[in-house]
Amino acid sequence: MKLKIQFCLLGLFCLMLSTAFSEPAQKHPVNGSWMFTSDNETWLLMAADGYCMVTHYDQAGKKFFKTFGGFLSLENDKLKLQYRFHSGDQGKTGTTAVFTWEPNGKNAESDLSGSRGTWVRVGEADSEMTGIWRITQRKEGANMREIRLAPRRTLKFLTNDRFQWAAINVETGEFSGTGGGTYTFKDGTYAETIHFFSRDSSRVGMTLEFKDRMEGSNWVHTGLSSKGDPIYEVWSKTSKNEQ
C-alpha cells in the first residue's frame, strides 16, 4: 500500500513539474501597443523583443510631429531607452534616456511624451507577425536584388494589429522617413490603413491591400505602393545587430 502511495505521489510531482515547465513565459509588461492622447494629438508606443518605436502625430489633422525608437528595458518602474534613431534630433542616436513607467491596472503612468500622462494599452504583441522586420530582397524588373545589411536600413515593426516602418541610419542618426497605422492579415490578404506618414500627409486614411505569404522566417510582400508602383519585397525577422 505504501509503495502504491509513493508511486502516486511521484506521478503527481512529475505532472506538476511538467506543467510548470510547459506554461508560457510571462509577458513582458511593456510589450504591445500603447496610446497617450492629448486633445487631437496621439502618442503611440509599440514595444516587443526589447525594442520600441514611439510616434507623435495628429491623425485627424494629418500631421506628423516626430518619431524615435531603439532598445528598451524596464526596471523598477523606469523605462530605459537606448536611441537608434530620433527624427527630431539625430544627435540622440546612441545615447540613453530614462522615463517613468508605472503600471496602473491595464494602463501605465509615464512621462514618455515629455509630460506625465496615462498610457492605455490598445494592442498585444504575441502573434506570428510581431517583431522587427528588415527588407532583405526587392524585385527590380525581372530580377531579385539582395539588400545587404548596412548602417542605413529600413525596418518594419509589427505588433498584433499595428505597424510602423522607419528608414534610418543607426551610425549617423540620419532619419529618412516613416509611416504607420493599423493592419490586418487574413487568408493571404495583408491590408494597411495609414494613420501617419512623414513624407506625404495626403496618404493618411488610405487603406492598401497586398497579397502576402510567409515562407519560413521570411515574409513575401506583393502589391502596389501608395504611389501605385508595383511591389515585390521580402522581409526577414531581425537579430539585435540588424535593428
Side-chain angles (χ1 to χ4, degrees), residues 134-175:
R134 184 177 71 85
I135 186 168
T136 52
Q137 296 181 70
R138 176 186 288 122
K139 181 174 282 189
E140 296 180 352
N143 302 315
M144 289 296 292
R145 179 174 72 87
E146 183 178 355
I147 302 174
R148 297 184 181 276
L149 180 64
R152 201 253 188 234
R153 61 195 65 171
T154 299
L155 303 178
K156 196 161 192 172
F157 193 2
L158 274 70
T159 56
N160 288 13
D161 63 345
R162 295 177 191 274
F163 78 95
Q164 180 176 352
W165 62 266
I168 60 177
N169 188 311
V170 297
E171 288 186 359
T172 66
E174 180 184 3
F175 171 81

Side-chain angles (χ1 to χ4, degrees), residues 101-133:
W101 189 267
E102 301 168 5
N104 180 13
K106 294 183 178 180
N107 305 327
E109 297 296 316
S110 177
D111 59 358
L112 190 57
S113 68
S115 60
R116 188 177 176 85
T118 300
W119 290 69
V120 179
R121 186 192 290 275
V122 293
E124 301 296 331
D126 55 9
S127 70
E128 179 187 26
M129 299 303 292
T130 292
I132 302 94
W133 303 76

Side-chain angles (χ1 to χ4, degrees), residues 68 71-73 78-83 92 95-99 112:
F68 55 86
F71 301 125
L72 182 74
S73 62
K78 297 293 183 182
L79 190 149
K80 182 184 292 185
L81 171 61
Q82 181 185 342
Y83 290 104
K92 288 189 175 181
T95 66
T96 299
V98 178
F99 304 93
L112 190 57

